[in-house]
Amino acid sequence: MTEFLTAALGFILAILAVGLVRILRGPGDADRMMAAQLIGTSGIAALLLLGTVSGVSAAVDVALTLALLAAFTSISFVKKGTSRFEADLPGSTEAG
Amino acid sequence: MTFASMSFALALEIVLAAVVLTGAVWTVASRETLPAVAGFVAYGLLLSLVWVRLGAPDVALTEAAIGSGLTGALLVGAAARLRSGEEQIVMERPGMVLRVLATMLSTTVAAALAASVLLLPDPAPTLAPAAAENAVATSLGNPVTNVLMAFRAMDTMLEKIVLLLALIGVWSLTPDRFWGGRPGPRHHADPQGVLAFVARVLPPVGIIVGIYILWTSADHPGGAFQGGTILAAMWLLVMMAGLADTPPVSERRPRLLLLAGPMVFLIVGLGGLAFGDAFLAYPMAYAKLLILTIEFAMILTIAVTLGLLVAGPPERECGS
Amino acid sequence: MSAAMVFGLCAAVAVGLGLYGVITNPQPLRKILAFNLLGSGVFLLFGVIARRGAAAGFGGDPIPQALVITGIVVAFSATALAIALLLRLFQATGSATLRADAPPGAGSDPSRP
Amino acid sequence: MSFALDIVTIAAVSAGAFFFLAGTVGLLRFPDTLTRLHALTKADNLGLGLMVLGLLPRTESLRDGIKLICVWVIVLLAGATVSQLIAYAARREGSRQ
């Protein structure tokens, strides 16, 4: 079982590396933000698998923290990264 | 453990290290700043995986919360503001000679470090048995909390004061006419929009998780910094969605909160001097109670300090 | 070759990369980033030493681990201060360059009415 | 019993990995921003969800199980928000060109 989960973990890390390449190449800001989101999600999945494989049950707490902080960071990434679209003007952040 | 599963685990570690270094290379090599920052955040996220693998979930929590999350938000904000000045600086790339010299220097340093890692003494020196032996004194089950709050409590207290000093340094960069005003821009968002929605739904969950991380730190990985960082992030999210404004730095309440943690720490420390053996010596019967009191005062102080550090110096007058 | 060894080498490379970035990158924000990279490499070395000292039923020596936690918080404070300084420089001169002979930019200083 | 749980783990984690793969391939190959966004959300919702489902039988206590599910719910919420914001930014970028 550990072997299977380790293999799954390696696979998720590969996905994460692809996400990294995507941010590197772009081309648009939107693609980069999507890639950042993919990295966050796959990072959390990798952390959960790693916790199970390594027998560190506190990894779930780390994943919880990471989920909250990744949410915060990607929201500020999207908001600040789109500031050239004047996202800070009243009512302009959402389509409504 | 069989040999096959050993090498399987080793392969995993090599893959993990390779992905971590990809993030690091790209943080340095990327031409644009915002992707470099995104790379750094990804690097921090992967680093917390490494910390879990190294058997240090306490550090993994700190890295996930502060090292990657909050630093990332800080850097993203700065990168977005500096964007207009970027083109000009890209022109002034360093010369060939400097780059070759820098490559040689950093390769030498990396090689020396690698050599010293390979030549580390065996068996490794460790203070773990000493930490386990003295754990009785505090009746806390988490050795890292023991070190931070009891054995090396002085470091932790001074670290809080460093945080406070950094905030004073940031505030002292305020332009004269905004002194005492509110930090950061006033964010506006559609109150019915998705950002306002998530800023209403996520913070209650975040507050519970933050307090849980503190509460569990007595016997499991966690602590006041990690919990406080989550609280700070939730506060910043609410401000980013325009549901609340940053407090003016001249207001009394946030200032009291900024001082609460270090003051409680100092009072307990001086109490140790008066009633116990030394500064910060906890009487054995009250050790756990005192440590938890300090940590609860700390989590509020840390949340407010970190939030205000990310918000930056005041740049508006109180009314605007 | 153990886990600690793999991550120890990884830490050495991270320190080298960070050092290279600090020296060669002209943008101050990128220097701050690279400096953080360098610092995280040093923290990782501490983690490797902690892992090698695993004993008494702990996954690692708790003393280096606690030192790293303190270090991460202090690094964050320093980063926040550095970024505030940089943004103030940008506000005051209109450019974020460290060159002394830089031409004054078109930025407006809000402290000047 | 434990054999059945192993099957659940293997099936759910494999399915989760498949959706991660699908999301990534979509992110790389789909023609425009909105379709790529559509592909990405599969990784968020189903990929991580199935992984969590697969790891549930491996948890040591009920508390860990609840925390696992919380992780998924938080990621769902954040993913939905970020996707909306990206889609909106992409639409404005498109209309300006």
Side-chain angles (χ1 to χ4, degrees):
Chain A
M1 188 43 105
T2 309
E3 278 83 358
F4 169 74
L5 290 177
T6 311
L9 176 52
F11 180 76
I12 295 293
L13 285 175
I15 297 266
L16 212 154
V18 171
L20 274 172
V21 172
R22 186 80 215 189
I23 299 193
L24 184 62
R25 293 206 7 248
D29 283 342
D31 288 305
R32 292 192 167 132
M33 288 163 195
M34 280 189 260
Q37 175 70 20
L38 178 68
I39 288 176
T41 311
S42 50
I44 290 164
L47 189 57
L48 292 175
L49 287 169
L50 183 68
T52 313
V53 169
S54 315
V56 180
S57 64
V60 187
D61 289 343
V62 183
L64 261 180
T65 308
L66 209 55
L68 282 166
L69 266 295
F72 167 68
T73 315
S74 28
I75 289 171
S76 61
F77 190 57
V78 172
K79 194 153 194 273
K80 298 277 165 55
T82 54
S83 61
R84 59 166 84 163
F85 312 118
E86 297 117 66
D88 274 342
L89 291 179
S92 70
T93 312
E94 287 86 15
Chain B
M1 200 185 269
T2 62
F3 180 74
S5 69
M6 273 284 274
S7 59
F8 218 58
L10 190 65
L12 170 71
E13 276 141 14
I14 292 171
V15 168
L16 183 55
V19 182
V20 167
L21 287 179
T22 313
V25 167
W26 166 33
T27 303
V28 172
S30 163
R31 290 189 80 84
E32 281 180 83
T33 307
L34 213 53
V37 170
F40 182 74
V41 174
Y43 168 79
L45 188 153
L46 288 161
L47 213 53
S48 55
L49 287 168
V50 172
W51 284 112
V52 168
R53 191 66 185 171
L54 282 172
D58 291 275
V59 188
L61 271 172
T62 318
E63 180 64 43
I66 302 179
S68 160
L70 222 52
T71 308
L74 188 69
L75 291 166
V76 167
R81 283 195 185 197
L82 293 174
R83 234 174 180 175
S84 56
E86 206 175 53
E87 292 83 8
Q88 188 186 344
I89 303 177
V90 175
M91 307 305 280
E92 39 180 280
R93 287 249 156 231
M96 199 62 189
V97 182
L98 180 65
R99 267 186 288 171
V100 171
L101 284 177
T103 312
M104 275 161 57
L105 177 66
S106 35
T107 314
T108 315
V109 170
L113 281 174
S116 56
V117 166
L118 294 173
L119 297 174
L120 279 174
D122 217 20
T126 177
L127 288 166
E133 233 167 74
N134 291 300
V136 212
T138 58
S139 58
L140 297 176
N142 179 357
V144 178
T145 306
N146 264 337
V147 174
L148 282 174
M149 298 306 297
F151 309 152
R152 303 284 308 167
M154 187 73 152
D155 290 359
T156 309
M157 191 182 89
L158 291 177
E159 170 217 274
K160 297 304 177 291
I161 293 172
V162 166
L163 267 180
L164 209 56
L165 284 176
L167 186 61
I168 293 171
V170 168
W171 281 359
S172 65
L173 295 167
T174 313
D176 281 346
R177 66 195 176 102
F178 297 130
W179 176 246
R182 293 174 189 275
R186 175 80 171 109
H187 292 280
H188 295 280
D190 180 2
Q192 302 298 320
V194 60
L195 193 57
F197 171 74
V198 81
R200 286 194 183 97
V201 174
L202 209 53
V205 183
I207 290 169
I208 293 173
V209 174
I211 293 174
Y212 168 77
I213 295 282
L214 169 65
W215 170 73
T216 194
S217 74
D219 295 312
H220 301 284
F225 324 112
Q226 296 89 336
T229 312
I230 297 178
L231 298 188
M234 294 301 115
W235 186 35
L236 288 164
L237 181 63
V238 170
M239 293 194 292
M240 209 155 57
L243 296 179
D245 203 355
T246 39
V249 301
S250 53
E251 208 174 84
R252 181 154 312 200
R253 216 166 26 153
R255 288 190 173 198
L256 279 177
L257 280 174
L258 287 176
L259 284 177
M263 288 312 280
V264 170
F265 218 140
L266 205 60
I267 290 168
V268 171
L270 292 173
L273 204 56
F275 300 105
D277 307 326
F279 185 67
L280 278 172
Y282 312 120
M284 200 126 146
Y286 300 106
K288 188 168 183 175
L289 181 71
L290 285 173
I291 288 175
L292 290 182
T293 311
I294 295 173
E295 287 215 292
F296 268 99
M298 244 4 159
I299 192 172
L300 291 174
T301 299
I302 290 167
V304 176
T305 316
L306 293 179
L308 288 173
L309 269 177
V310 175
E315 44 190 76
R316 286 176 292 148
E317 281 159 61
C318 285
S320 61
Chain C
M1 194 86 162
S2 66
M5 223 61 118
V6 173
F7 295 129
L9 297 179
C10 176
V13 177
V15 170
L17 279 170
L19 189 59
Y20 179 79
V22 170
I23 298 172
T24 57
N25 236 312
Q27 288 143 286
L29 186 63
R30 301 295 297 277
K31 281 188 197 288
I32 296 173
L33 259 177
F35 197 75
N36 268 300
L37 192 64
L38 201 166
S40 70
V42 175
F43 294 149
L44 203 52
L45 282 175
F46 271 70
V48 167
I49 288 168
R51 180 58 167 180
R52 293 180 82 254
F58 300 148
D61 187 352
I63 282 93
Q65 290 183 1
L67 289 179
V68 169
I69 292 178
T70 309
I72 290 176
V73 178
V74 173
F76 174 79
S77 318
T79 307
L81 185 57
I83 284 178
L85 278 167
L86 173 60
L87 289 177
R88 188 77 180 92
L89 175 74
F90 184 62
Q91 228 175 24
T93 65
S95 82
T97 175
L98 295 178
R99 268 174 42 185
D101 57 342
S108 56
D109 185 353
S111 67
R112 260 178 253 146
Chain D
M1 189 59 199
S2 92
F3 180 69
L5 288 180
D6 279 2
I7 299 286
V8 170
T9 300
I10 290 178
V13 171
S14 306
F18 169 75
F19 278 107
F20 266 107
L21 180 67
T24 309
V25 170
L27 187 62
L28 292 179
R29 303 296 309 165
F30 277 1
D32 63 88
T33 305
L34 292 181
T35 46
R36 286 200 284 263
L37 196 58
H38 165 78
L40 172 71
T41 51
K42 297 298 158 286
D44 279 348
N45 305 354
L46 282 165
L48 189 66
L50 286 165
M51 289 267 171
V52 164
L53 186 69
L55 291 176
L56 276 179
R58 311 261 122 217
T59 52
E60 288 160 17
S61 62
L62 180 66
R63 197 163 80 184
D64 281 355
I66 294 172
K67 284 190 283 191
L68 262 181
I69 294 171
C70 281
V71 169
W72 181 49
V73 172
I74 292 170
V75 171
L76 264 185
L77 199 62
T81 310
V82 170
S83 306
Q84 283 245 9
L85 293 176
I86 293 173
Y88 184 64
R91 207 177 70 176
R92 291 193 61 154
E93 199 171 13
S95 68
R96 199 170 281 196
Q97 276 163 4

